[in-house]
Amino acid sequence: MDRATFDEYIAGFNAEDTTAFDRFIAEDLWMINGLLEIHGRQGMKDHYAKIWPDFVETLDVVDFVSDDTRLAIEMKTNFRARHDAPEALFGPVVEGDQFDFHGVILYRINDAGQFSHIRVAYNSFRKTGVDGTRTELGLPH
């Protein structure tokens, strides 16, 4: 997969457009993200249906390498709380709290050009409260 095609996926993801999952995520996806496992395209949609109501999530690709069957990126992701939520994915949040992920993500690409396996590895995960307080969180899942 070339960078321009992958950037189409990232743009769709950042726009919270689940049709990007239809195009890029295999029906039989297996994803491991920390201690969280996601199975299937619908599993991916269900997972983000829990995140996006509470957070604006923005992906930023720092580095990219790929061939026909594998892709690897260094990724920075920002989650910004849309509103106060006593039970959000990462615990209670107030509007404007931010969570920043920095890590490496490995993808396997099937014959249809879709992601069949995704592995997420964390370098850091941090919360920055609206008061500026920073807290290292380790694994979020």
Side-chain angles (χ1 to χ4, degrees), residues 24-45:
F24 289 96
I25 301 296
E27 187 65 41
D28 63 347
L29 168 76
W30 176 73
M31 178 176 167
I32 187 159
N33 182 345
L35 301 175
L36 173 71
E37 285 191 43
I38 296 174
H39 298 275
R41 181 184 304 136
Q42 188 60 49
M44 190 78 133
K45 288 180 178 183

Side-chain angles (χ1 to χ4, degrees), residues 1-21:
M1 180 177 293
D2 63 25
R3 177 66 189 258
T5 303
F6 186 73
D7 285 346
E8 290 175 28
Y9 170 68
I10 296 299
F13 187 100
N14 284 343
E16 300 176 12
D17 178 0
T18 59
T19 64
F21 295 148

Side-chain angles (χ1 to χ4, degrees), residues 9-77:
Y9 170 68
I10 296 299
F13 187 100
N14 284 343
E16 300 176 12
D17 178 0
T18 59
T19 64
F21 295 148
D22 296 329
R23 180 170 174 210
F24 289 96
I25 301 296
E27 187 65 41
D28 63 347
L29 168 76
W30 176 73
M31 178 176 167
I32 187 159
N33 182 345
L35 301 175
L36 173 71
E37 285 191 43
I38 296 174
H39 298 275
R41 181 184 304 136
Q42 188 60 49
M44 190 78 133
K45 288 180 178 183
D46 293 346
H47 176 69
Y48 285 98
K50 295 180 221 170
I51 295 175
W52 290 339
D54 294 326
F55 295 96
V56 174
E57 183 175 1
T58 306
L59 308 179
D60 179 33
V61 178
V62 177
D63 201 3
F64 171 94
V65 294
S66 180
D67 62 22
D68 291 338
T69 61
R70 294 168 297 189
L71 187 149
I73 59 170
E74 179 183 355
M75 174 76 78
K76 290 188 177 182
T77 304

Side-chain angles (χ1 to χ4, degrees), residues 90-121:
F90 309 128
V93 297
V94 298
E95 182 177 351
D97 280 350
Q98 295 189 57
F99 295 81
D100 292 293
F101 158 82
H102 183 205
V104 174
I105 305 173
L106 305 174
Y107 301 82
R108 286 216 179 253
I109 303 166
N110 66 17
D111 291 340
Q114 296 177 317
F115 306 131
S116 60
H117 294 80
I118 302 173
R119 288 185 176 265
V120 180

